[in-house]
Amino acid sequence: GPFFLYNVKGIIMSKLWGGNDVNFKHTEASKNGVIGLPLLSHFGLLLDYANSRAILTKANLPPQNYDITSWIKVPFNFKGGILTTAKINGESKKLIWDTGATPSIIRATVAIRKNSMSCPQDAYYSEKGCTFIKTQQFSINNKLIPNNWFMLNSLDTSIPFDGFVGSNYYEKNVLFFDFNQKNIYIHSVHDKNLIQL
């Protein structure tokens, strides 16, 4: 992009994540490293996967060619990541918005399992016993946001959230994160009014 970052602090790790889990699907990030939220949160961040763009903006202003005024705006908390409390099919769930989650996952509870389906065997995320749910209604602060699907996972109950909004959501939506005001702006890639040139 048009600007440079200097004196960025990082951590050198001998091993990233994935460990010895034979089902873990390694990505370039898990092999090479990531740019984290401590750095990104100093900017506005637009993620447009459909057009292979990640745009950082100064002062959390949206990029010029994106009209976010008509997008869905929802609040988030900055606690251990970008955290929202969402309603999924009527149930309240705490979700971390994480580009590294491939795909979105949610803790498998008895209520969540009721409407689950088997994962397609040829899917990149599929493993033995894999199941997923589709949201029929997905909302934050009583605002409907585009639906998603979540792979069910036995997340440790000591983790203080219920799942991750991951790559499959970013592929179908454009998002702008305003870290100053702690808002996420969401727009479906299927809407033709996405970009105003």
Side-chain angles (χ1 to χ4, degrees):
F3 59 91
F4 293 88
L5 304 176
Y6 297 98
N7 301 317
V8 176
K9 292 181 182 177
I11 298 172
I12 297 172
M13 300 173 71
S14 59
K15 187 184 208 179
L16 294 174
W17 60 94
N20 299 324
D21 182 353
V22 294
N23 292 319
F24 185 79
K25 309 282 193 276
H26 281 279
T27 63
E28 290 306 310
S30 68
K31 295 175 193 172
N32 300 310
V34 297
I35 297 172
L37 286 174
L39 173 63
L40 295 175
S41 64
H42 292 283
F43 303 92
L45 172 63
L46 185 122
L47 296 175
D48 183 353
Y49 276 33
N51 291 300
S52 301
R53 288 187 191 125
I55 301 171
L56 298 177
T57 65
K58 294 179 181 178
N60 285 271
L61 297 172
Q64 289 181 348
N65 293 329
Y66 293 81
D67 178 19
I68 68 167
T69 58
S70 62
W71 297 12
I72 301 163
K73 175 180 154 187
V74 294
F76 71 86
N77 291 315
F78 206 25
K79 293 181 182 174
I82 299 167
L83 177 71
T84 58
T85 300
K87 280 212 170 172
I88 295 177
N89 302 343
E91 291 187 44
S92 187
K93 301 291 178 191
K94 289 183 179 177
L95 301 173
I96 294 284
W97 294 69
D98 185 357
T99 59
T102 309
S104 300
I105 62 171
I106 194 165
R107 182 179 286 125
T109 62
V110 172
I112 286 288
R113 283 188 193 277
K114 276 193 246 177
N115 298 314
S116 66
M117 298 168 268
S118 294
C119 299
Q121 290 183 354
D122 60 346
Y124 66 91
Y125 54 86
S126 192
E127 55 191 56
K128 187 176 180 184
C130 176
T131 55
F132 73 101
I133 63 158
K134 290 182 178 178
T135 61
Q136 303 304 314
Q137 192 174 53
F138 192 12
S139 65
I140 298 172
N141 268 25
N142 297 317
K143 290 184 183 177
L144 288 175
I145 63 174
N147 279 312
N148 193 35
W149 60 267
F150 291 83
M151 187 171 74
L152 302 189
N153 190 292
S154 55
L155 289 173
D156 190 317
T157 53
S158 67
I159 296 171
F161 49 84
D162 302 302
F164 297 94
V165 178
S167 59
N168 56 313
Y169 198 77
Y170 297 106
E171 289 165 3
K172 301 214 182 299
N173 300 285
V174 179
L175 294 98
F176 179 69
F177 295 90
D178 178 341
F179 289 97
N180 279 349
Q181 300 298 316
K182 294 187 175 57
N183 287 312
I184 305 171
Y185 294 82
I186 305 168
H187 201 81
S188 170
V189 296
H190 302 296
D191 190 326
K192 304 255 186 269
N193 298 320
L194 173 63
I195 301 174
Q196 302 221 338
L197 297 173

